[in-house]
Structures are given as structure tokens and as C-alpha cells.
Amino acid sequence: MTRTANGPVAVLGLGAMGAGLAARLLGQGLQVRVWNRTAERAEPLAEAGAIVAPHPADAVAGTSAAICAVADGEALGAVLRGPDGVLAKGPYPGVLICASTVAPEEVVQIAGDVPRVLDVGMLGNRDHARVGELRLFVGGEQRAFDAGRPLLEMLGKEVVHLGALGSGMRMKLLLNLLMGIEVQALAEATELATACGLDRQLVLKTIAGSGFASPVMAFKSRRLASGRFGEPDFRLRLMAKDLMLASKQAAAVGLSLPLATAAAETHVRATEQGLGDQDCAAVTRVLTPKPEATRDH
């Protein structure tokens, strides 16, 4: 059985999570090859010792594992099966780890007949990625999981094999469903309090310190208090995408999820208003009452 913990490893996609994963692997002494659609994002990693490749196919050459951390299913398909993709020159011999959040059926379809492929739902943020504190939920065949596990244990404090390929995405979608609803609920409560004349900062401090607040609420309350949504921990447009995917999963199995549906609609509307590249807590900006909506008392 091939082990992957000694590298070299390719990381494809250097957004917040991909860059954090690559930095973690470099810090553990592995040889890391990276690719990103926007090459400038690779510069800090190159300075730290990563080899920057011009195309995904070049990045995976000679590696024992490749981690794909791109934004969506379309990007994942291009990275794997595009003209310069991972599979352009034939089967990839290492362990292929799909850490992009896509529909479970989509990761199965894109993977096709790749012999060793895993889908990994990552719970945590870029800081967790850099220090190996992620929680990783994995789908794929047992042999593939056994081969990839040493590498995954380097990246996460918890690694759970859930079952068949697609299972990791199912877990990730339901976790993001909870996050999207929680952050929107926090934003709604805060905007209602403000509109009714309560002190915004005091309300947020009270919620964050209460038994009602999850760690996500306590964390995002600082975003809402500051009103700063740049340098996102998780982009709003990606939350909109994941909430839509979760809603579609529910519809496919005959479930009605009213909260998920409502949250998806709000996040899509926020994206359409130009907030997509801000932190997901910026959903509060579509809740702010317009002057014409206020009433005389």
C-alpha cells in the first residue's frame, strides 16, 4: 500500500483554505507543488519553498497525492479533466483528494474511474488549516482512505471516514447549512434590535456571551460589531452556493427544509447585490431597513 505522508504533494487552488493547507504541509517538511488560476496568489508559498507550476498537470507530476481546493464543481471539473488538467495525460497514480465543496453526485461523476479518490469535507477556517487543526470528514473506498490517511492526519486533528465517495460532501453541506442559518439568524436578531432602538454593540456582546450562541455566532458577532467584511473567512457567494446545494439535496430525497430554503434565497439575493466576495456575515447588509421602509411612530 502506498503511503502519502512523505510527499511530494500537490495543492491545486490557493484560496483561503488551499493556501493554508499548502503552508501546513511546507511547515511539516514536505515538498509541495502548487497551482492557482491567479498565479500571484502562489508567491508567498513560493517564498516559503513551494514549487509553482503553470498548469494542474504540471503540479501533480511526480507527486504521491494531490489536493484540489477550488471554488465549485465547474472549477473542479476543469482542474481534473480540462486540457491541462490532472487527468489530461492519463490516470493519476497517487491519491486524489477533492476538498472542494460540490454536490456529492458531482464529485462522483467528475472522479469517474480514478482508482484512488477521496472527497473531504473540511470543518474549520484558514487559521485551522495552517496549524493542522481542521476536522476532516472523508468519503471514498477503504483502500483509498488507508492510503491517504497519513496525509490527512497531518492536516487535521480529527479524521473521520464516513463511507462511500460523496459522503464527505454530504457532511460538509449539512454543516454549512447550519452555519448559514446560524449567521443569518444572528444578523436578523441584531438588525431587529438596532431597528427597535437597542444598542447594537451591547446586543452583540449579550448574544455572544449567552447560552444561545454557538462558537460560530460568537466568532461572527465580531464581524457584525465591526461592520468589516473584507478579507473573508468564508465568502458569501460560496455560502450561497452551498445552501443551494443543500436545498437541492433535500429536494432530491423528498425533504422540505424551510429554513435552508429561506437562507439560500437571502444569500443569493446578497450575492446579486454585489456582496458575494465579502465575508458571509455581510448577509446582514440585505436586512438593513431602507429609509422608505421605515414608518412614522
Side-chain angles (χ1 to χ4, degrees):
M1 178 174 61
T2 302
R3 311 295 279 184
T4 63
N6 296 322
V9 176
V11 179
L12 310 171
L14 301 176
M17 296 301 289
L21 296 173
R24 170 66 177 174
L25 296 174
L26 286 167
Q28 294 298 298
L30 270 66
Q31 182 186 120
V32 179
R33 300 173 64 87
V34 299
W35 169 84
N36 192 67
R37 185 178 59 179
T38 306
E40 300 85 70
R41 283 201 176 182
E43 290 174 3
L45 291 165
E47 293 174 2
I51 298 170
V52 181
H55 305 290
D58 302 310
V60 302
T63 61
S64 60
I67 303 171
C68 298
V70 293
D72 52 33
E74 183 179 358
L76 180 61
V79 164
L80 295 184
R81 299 193 175 275
D84 298 306
V86 172
L87 306 174
K89 299 178 182 178
Y92 175 63
V95 178
L96 183 59
I97 298 172
C98 296
S100 308
T101 305
V102 302
E105 298 78 12
E106 197 167 15
V107 73
V108 173
Q109 180 182 8
I110 292 171
D113 57 356
V114 177
R116 291 189 300 172
V117 58
L118 300 170
D119 69 306
V120 179
M122 299 186 290
L123 183 60
N125 57 37
R126 55 186 166 189
D127 294 328
H128 295 127
R130 289 191 188 103
V131 298
E133 290 290 312
L134 294 169
R135 296 172 65 197
L136 304 176
F137 300 94
V138 189
E141 292 184 358
Q142 186 67 47
R143 287 185 300 173
F145 176 70
D146 290 340
R149 184 168 189 163
L151 176 64
L152 295 174
E153 289 180 340
M154 195 176 289
L155 298 171
K157 65 179 180 180
E158 180 182 9
V159 179
V160 180
H161 185 210
L162 298 173
L165 190 65
S167 300
M169 289 302 98
R170 289 187 173 91
M171 179 66 84
K172 177 63 174 176
L173 288 176
L174 71 86
L175 291 169
N176 278 3
L177 181 155
L178 287 171
M179 178 180 170
I181 290 173
E182 285 185 8
V183 174
Q184 181 168 328
L186 174 64
E188 289 188 17
T190 304
E191 293 301 335
L192 176 60
T194 303
C196 292
L198 294 178
D199 181 86
R200 184 182 184 88
Q201 303 301 320
L202 179 58
V203 166
L204 284 165
K205 181 179 179 181
T206 301
I207 294 173
S210 74
F212 301 112
S214 67
V216 165
M217 279 193 182
F219 180 66
K220 291 300 183 184
S221 67
R222 297 196 289 273
R223 287 273 192 184
L224 293 174
S226 69
R228 292 193 292 269
F229 305 110
E231 298 183 7
D233 303 300
F234 189 62
R235 294 181 190 276
L236 193 150
R237 62 180 170 83
L238 298 181
M239 179 61 77
K241 173 200 58 133
D242 292 353
L243 288 167
M244 290 297 294
L245 287 174
S247 296
K248 290 177 181 177
Q249 287 286 299
V253 295
L255 282 177
S256 173
L257 302 182
L259 289 176
T261 300
E265 291 173 352
T266 306
H267 284 74
V268 168
R269 187 165 72 252
T271 302
E272 291 171 346
Q273 292 181 16
L275 301 172
D277 284 321
Q278 297 188 29
D279 187 82
C280 62
V283 71
T284 194
R285 289 185 167 164
V286 302
L287 307 174
T288 304
K290 305 296 187 293
E292 62 270 19
T294 60
R295 297 184 301 172
D296 293 331
H297 294 280

